[in-house]
C-alpha cells in the first residue's frame, strides 16, 4: 500500500461468509456498526458454496437448520426435502443475504494470510494473500470447522492423467461421471454420501477404504406443500424442542436406563430408530450407548447385523463393519443406499488395511496387490478439522506470539470465544465451544448473540481491549477434557479427538469439542455474562 493510499479500516472485520459469518454480519449491522466480511472463496456460503460433490446434503432436519431470527424469513422459505441438498442450502443462504441486503458488506476472493495485533492501536492489521492490507479494531473469525481439506501424500499423485481432486474442490462446472471408471478414496460422511449418489451411474467404482465407519440410513424424503405449511406453523415448537436437546437437534437421548429395559424391548426400540430419519439412531438412543462399553457393543452388533443383511457378499459385509471402534464414537455417516451400492456388479471395495495404496500412477491407483485403472480419482480424505482453518492464517498476537505455535499441541480457549494472549480476536464456533458439536445454526445463533453482547458490553463502557485471562482459559480446558472423559468418543481416532493421519502432529489426542451439550453450555455462558463477563479482562 503506498503512502497516499491509506489502509482501509473497519471497526469489525469478520472472516468468512458462511452460516456463522452471515448472521454475525446481520447482528452487527443491526447495531449500526462499521463491519466488513472477508471471504476467501469467490462467493458466499462457506461449506455450502464449496462442497459440490454429488449427494452432498446436511443431516439436520432442514427446518432445524434455517436461521430462526426472522419470522418473515421462516414463513417465506420453503424447504423441499427433509434433509436439504447442497444446491438448495446455498440458494437459501443467498436468499438470506439478498433479503437483508448483506452482500454489499462482503468482499470475496479475500484470503487473509497474516493477522497481526498492533499494540499502539489495539487493533488488527490484516495482510491478504493478494497483497492488500486492512486494519480493524475487532477481528471475528467465522472460518468454519470443516473448511481446511487435507490430501493424502501418496507418491505420484501429480502424475495421474485424468481429473483428480478433493471432494471440497469438486469442480463447479458440470462433471458427468456417467460411464466413467471412478476411484473414491475415503469412507467418512463425505465419501459415504458420494458413493451412494454415484454408484448406479458410473461404469465402474472402486471404493478404497482404510477404516470403515458405522453408517445408518438417512431416510430422506421430499416435503409436500401441505407438510411445509404445517412446519411453518410449528416453528416455535421446533426451535423450542431443539433448545432442549444436548445436540440442538430434534433428537434427544432416551432417558430410560439401558440395563432396565428388557432385551426384547431394546431391540424393538432399535428397530424403530433404524427406520427413523436423521440422527435419531445416534442422538435419540440410550445414553449408555455412547458412554458404556457394554451397551455400545450390544448396539454395534445390532447395526452390524443390519449391514450383513443389506450386503449380499458376506466377505464384503464383514469388511464394511468397523472392528476398531463401536457405533457412534466417530461421526456417524448418514447414508442413502450406501450398503446396497456394494451389491452392484461394477462396485468394488478395496480394503486398504489388507492391501495399502503404494502410489498413484498415470492411469490410476496401485495397491500392494495390483493396479486399478480409472478415469477419475476423488479424494474424500477429510479435513484438518476445527483448528486447520486457524492454522492456515498466521495470527500474531502481542509480543510476536503466533497462534499456531500456541496451539501446536492442541487448541486452548475460554468458552470457544477467545484465546488468551490474543486481544480483540473473537471466535464464532471456536475450538472447545458448543457450536463444534451441535446442530450448527442453532448453536451459531446463540454464539453470535452472546459474542455481540460481549462486544456491546465493552463498547458501552469505552473499553478498547477485550481479552481472557490464562487462568479462566486453563479452567475451561480442564472442563472440556473432563467432559471427553465421560464419553466413549474419547478413544476415537477421528476429528472429534483431533486425529488426522495426513497432518503432521495430528496423530495425538487434541481437545477440539465441548461435549457438555448445548443447554449446559448456554447456561454457563449466561451466568458468565450476568457476572460481568467473568474471565474476561477489559481495558
Ligand atoms: P472424515 O470423516 O475425516 O473421513 C475421511 C476418510 O478418508 C476416512 O475414511 C479416512 O480413513 C480416509 N482417509 C484419510 N486419509 C487417508 C489416506 N491417506 N489413505 C486412505 N484413506 C484415508 O472426512 P469427511 O468424510 O470429509 O467428513 C468430515 C466431517 O465433515 C464429517 O465428520 C462431518 O462432520 C462433516 N460432513 C457432514 C456432512 C453432513 O452434514 N451430512 C457430510 C459430509 C461431511 P481413516 O478413518 O482410516 O482415517
Amino acid at each position: 500500500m503506498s503512502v497516499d493510499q491509506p489502509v482501509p479500516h473497519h471497526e469489525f472485520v469478520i472472516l468468512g461468509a458462511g452460516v456463522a459469518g452471515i448472521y454475525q454480519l446481520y447482528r452487527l449491522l443491526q447495531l449500526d456498526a462499521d463491519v466488513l466480511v472477508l471471504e476467501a472463496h469467490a462467493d458466499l456460503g462457506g461449506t455450502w458454496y464449496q462442497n459440490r460433490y454429488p449427494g452432498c446434503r446436511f443431516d439436520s432436519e432442514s427446518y432445524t437448520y434455517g436461521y430462526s431470527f426472522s419470522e418473515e424469513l421462516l414463513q417465506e422459505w420453503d424447504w423441499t426435502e427433509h434433509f436439504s441438498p447442497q444446491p438448495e442450502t446455498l440458494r437459501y443462504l443467498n436468499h438470506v443475504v439478498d433479503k437483508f441486503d448483506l452482500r454489499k458488506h462482503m468482499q470475496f476472493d479475500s484470503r487473509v494470510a497474516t493477522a497481526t495485533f498492533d499494540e499502539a492501536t489495539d487493533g488488527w492489521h490484516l495482510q491478504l494473500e493478494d497483497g492488500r492490507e486492512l486494519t480493524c479494531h475487532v477481528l471475528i473469525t467465522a472460518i468454519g470447522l470443516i473448511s481446511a481439506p487435507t490430501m493424502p501424500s501418496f507418491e505420484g499423485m501429480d502424475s495421474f492423467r485424468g481429473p483428480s481432486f478433493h471432494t471440497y474442490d469438486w469442480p463447479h462446472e458440470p462433471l458427468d461421471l456417467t460411464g466413467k471408471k471412478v476411484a473414491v478414496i475415503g469412507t467418512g460422511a463425505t465419501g459415504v454420501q458420494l458413493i451412494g449418489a454415484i454408484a448406479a451411474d458410473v461404469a465402474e467404482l472402486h471404493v478404497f477404504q482404510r477404516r470403515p465407519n458405522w453408517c445408518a440410513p438417512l431416510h430422506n424424503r421430499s416435503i409436500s406443500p401441505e407438510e411445509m405449511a404445517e412446519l411453518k406453523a410449528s416453528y416455535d415448537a421446533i426451535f423450542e424442542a431443539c433448545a432442549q436437546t444436548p445436540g440442538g437437534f430434534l433428537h434427544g437421548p432416551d432417558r430410560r436406563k439401558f440395563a432396565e429395559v428388557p432385551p426384547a424391548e431394546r431391540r424393538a426400540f432399535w428397530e424403530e430408530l433404524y427406520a427413523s430419519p436423521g440422527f435419531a439412531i445416534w442422538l435419540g438412543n440410550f445414553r449408555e450407548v455412547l458412554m458404556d462399553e457394554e451397551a455400545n457393543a450390544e448396539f454395534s452388533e445390532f447395526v452390524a447385523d443390519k449391514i450383513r443383511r443389506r450386503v449380499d457378499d458376506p466377505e464384503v459385509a464383514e469388511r464394511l463393519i468397523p472392528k476398531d471402534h463401536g457405533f457412534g464414537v466417530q461421526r456417524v455417516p448418514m447414508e442413502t443406499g450406501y450398503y446396497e451400492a456394494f451389491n452392484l456388479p461394477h462396485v468394488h471395495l478395496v480394503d486398504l488395511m489388507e492391501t495399502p495404496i503404494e502410489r498413484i500412477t498415470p492411469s490410476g491407483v496401485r495397491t500392494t496387490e495390483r493396479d486399478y485403472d480409472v478415469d477419475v480419482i476423488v479424494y474424500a480424505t477429510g479435513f484438518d478439522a476445527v483448528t486447520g482453518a486457524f492454522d492456515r492464517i498466521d495470527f500474531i498476537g502481542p509480543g510476536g506470539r503466533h497462534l499456531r505455535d500456541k496451539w501446536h499441541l492442541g487448541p486452548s480457549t475460554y468458552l470457544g470465544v477467545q484465546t488468551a494472549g490474543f486481544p480483540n480476536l473473537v471466535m464464532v464456533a471456536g475450538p472447545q465451544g458448543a457450536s463444534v458439536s451441535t446442530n450448527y445454526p442453532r448453536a451459531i445463533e446463540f454464539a453470535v448473540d452472546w459474542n455481540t453482547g460481549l462486544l456491546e458490553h465493552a463498547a458501552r463502557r469505552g473499553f478498547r481491549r477485550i481479552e481472557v485471562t490464562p487462568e479462566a482459559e486453563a479452567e475451561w480446558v480442564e472442563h472440556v477434557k473432563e467432559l471427553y472423559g465421560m464419553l466413549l468418543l474419547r478413544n476415537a481416532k477421528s476429528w472429534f479427538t483431533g486425529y488426522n493421519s495426513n497432518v503432521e502432529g495430528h496423530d495425538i489426542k487434541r481437545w477440539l469439542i465441548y461435549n457438555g451439550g448445548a443447554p449446559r453450555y448456554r447456561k454457563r455462558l449466561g451466568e458468565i455474562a450476568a457476572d460481568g463477563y467473568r474471565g474476561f479482562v477489559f481495558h
Side-chain angles (χ1 to χ4, degrees):
M1 196 70 57
S2 74
V3 273
D4 26 48
Q5 275 180 309
V7 173
H9 178 81
H10 296 274
E11 181 64 6
F12 300 98
V13 165
I14 300 167
L15 302 184
V19 171
I22 290 170
Y23 183 52
Q24 182 66 78
L25 172 63
Y26 171 82
R27 284 290 278 120
L28 287 172
L29 288 175
Q30 273 192 323
L31 303 175
D32 280 329
D34 163 28
V35 49
L36 175 74
V37 172
L38 296 178
E39 166 56 54
H41 296 296
D43 206 347
L44 63 93
T47 284
W48 305 111
Y49 174 76
Q50 196 58 22
N51 281 289
R52 290 170 186 244
Y53 61 86
C56 181
R57 66 179 68 248
F58 50 60
D59 297 328
S60 309
E61 281 72 7
S62 305
Y63 29 92
T64 73
Y65 197 89
Y67 296 112
S68 70
F69 66 82
S70 159
E71 186 58 28
E72 202 179 280
L73 173 62
L74 287 168
Q75 293 306 322
E76 73 192 13
W77 182 262
D78 291 332
W79 295 102
T80 64
E81 297 183 41
H82 279 263
F83 301 92
S84 165
Q86 174 269 335
E88 181 166 313
T89 308
L90 183 58
R91 269 200 308 281
Y92 170 74
L93 292 176
N94 274 277
H95 172 76
V96 174
V97 165
D98 291 339
K99 178 179 175 64
F100 297 105
D101 202 13
L102 303 177
R103 197 179 291 267
K104 63 182 183 227
H105 303 281
M106 298 175 171
Q107 278 178 19
F108 303 115
D109 291 316
S110 299
R111 189 177 287 277
V112 174
T114 309
T116 312
F117 188 72
D118 179 358
E119 300 246 33
T121 60
D122 281 332
W124 287 89
H125 175 271
L126 308 180
Q127 178 78 55
L128 273 57
E129 279 187 359
D130 62 12
R132 278 179 292 153
E133 292 174 60
L134 268 106
T135 59
C136 63
H137 177 215
V138 176
L139 181 59
I140 303 175
T141 59
I143 49 185
L145 311 172
I146 313 281
S147 54
T150 48
M151 290 286 268
S153 50
F154 303 125
E155 263 181 56
M157 280 168 66
D158 287 344
S159 71
F160 181 63
R161 276 196 299 261
S164 68
F165 41 80
H166 193 281
T167 45
Y168 190 71
D169 297 316
W170 192 277
H172 286 207
E173 57 281 4
L175 174 72
D176 187 6
L177 294 179
T178 317
K180 295 273 191 312
K181 290 187 281 179
V182 180
V184 175
I185 302 176
T187 52
T190 302
V192 164
Q193 283 187 332
L194 170 69
I195 291 158
I198 65 172
D201 301 327
V202 297
E204 191 166 42
L205 176 62
H206 281 103
V207 176
F208 292 85
Q209 169 193 274
R210 194 161 60 184
R211 291 180 310 133
N213 272 295
W214 295 99
C215 313
L218 178 63
H219 297 300
N220 185 31
R221 61 185 174 82
S222 56
I223 299 177
S224 67
E226 298 73 38
E227 219 177 342
M228 195 62 230
E230 269 173 40
L231 288 165
K232 283 181 182 176
S234 322
Y235 268 129
D236 285 349
I238 290 171
F239 292 130
E240 182 49 32
C242 291
Q244 302 302 323
T245 65
F249 292 91
L250 289 171
H251 318 287
D254 191 288
R255 298 280 165 191
R256 290 174 297 172
K257 283 210 168 5
F258 172 80
E260 289 172 9
V261 178
E265 221 175 288
R266 279 179 214 159
R267 269 201 88 81
F269 174 51
W270 286 342
E271 290 291 353
E272 225 175 86
L273 289 180
Y274 203 79
S276 300
F279 278 149
I281 196 163
W282 191 22
L283 306 178
N285 217 317
F286 298 109
R287 278 172 304 177
E288 289 87 341
V289 165
L290 302 182
M291 300 170 92
D292 172 79
E293 298 278 4
E294 237 173 82
N296 182 272
E298 193 176 313
F299 184 64
S300 299
E301 197 40 44
F302 170 85
V303 181
D305 262 350
K306 292 283 180 202
I307 299 171
R308 289 184 190 110
R309 271 167 224 219
R310 290 176 59 185
V311 178
D312 294 345
D313 181 334
E315 266 183 40
V316 174
E318 282 318 306
R319 290 202 170 101
L320 288 166
I321 297 171
K323 305 290 188 301
D324 69 326
H325 67 280
F327 182 92
V329 308
Q330 296 186 179
R331 204 305 196 156
V332 177
M334 302 307 295
E335 47 84 24
T336 304
Y338 176 65
Y339 291 111
E340 287 72 16
F342 294 95
N343 298 335
L344 297 170
H346 62 278
V347 177
H348 315 286
L349 183 67
V350 182
D351 188 340
L352 299 180
M353 300 305 262
E354 285 176 11
T355 57
I357 294 175
E358 273 191 342
R359 60 173 298 123
I360 304 298
T361 67
S363 58
V365 181
R366 177 175 302 161
T367 67
T368 49
E369 187 190 31
R370 54 166 274 209
D371 279 343
Y372 296 87
D373 285 352
V374 297
D375 303 313
V376 181
I377 301 178
V378 184
Y379 295 97
T381 45
F383 296 82
D384 189 7
V386 187
T387 53
F390 285 91
D391 286 344
R392 290 175 189 203
I393 298 171
D394 193 6
F395 292 96
I396 309 173
R401 187 172 191 201
H402 297 262
L403 183 61
R404 54 169 82 120
D405 292 343
K406 178 182 173 185
W407 287 1
H408 176 58
L409 295 174
S412 50
T413 76
Y414 182 44
L415 317 174
V417 173
Q418 279 206 284
T419 184
F422 292 81
N424 295 359
L425 177 64
V426 175
M427 302 177 279
V428 189
Q432 301 168 344
S435 311
V436 187
S437 48
T438 55
N439 193 2
Y440 197 60
R442 301 281 58 79
I444 281 304
E445 284 190 333
F446 172 78
V448 165
D449 289 344
W450 198 88
N451 289 0
T452 306
L454 171 75
L455 298 171
E456 274 188 291
H457 175 88
R460 251 189 265 120
R461 287 160 182 76
F463 292 122
R464 292 285 301 156
R465 211 158 152 159
I466 310 169
E467 51 193 318
V468 294
T469 66
E471 295 75 24
E473 175 171 295
E475 209 181 292
W476 183 254
V477 174
E478 268 320 297
H479 177 53
V480 167
K481 281 188 200 171
E482 268 167 31
L483 291 169
Y484 265 94
M486 290 162 55
L487 295 170
L488 295 172
L489 68 78
R490 65 183 177 271
N491 299 321
K493 267 170 99 179
S494 83
W495 72 261
F496 287 176
T497 50
Y499 163 83
N500 184 315
S501 69
N502 301 310
V503 180
E504 212 187 309
H506 287 189
D507 50 358
I508 52 166
K509 213 152 268 183
R510 298 179 306 130
W511 316 106
L512 301 189
I513 295 176
Y514 172 84
N515 287 307
R520 195 191 320 196
Y521 180 77
R522 283 197 305 271
K523 183 165 179 285
R524 184 94 173 233
L525 268 71
E527 289 162 0
I528 288 169
D531 200 11
Y533 292 95
R534 190 175 66 238
F536 289 82
V537 183
F538 303 92
H539 313 270

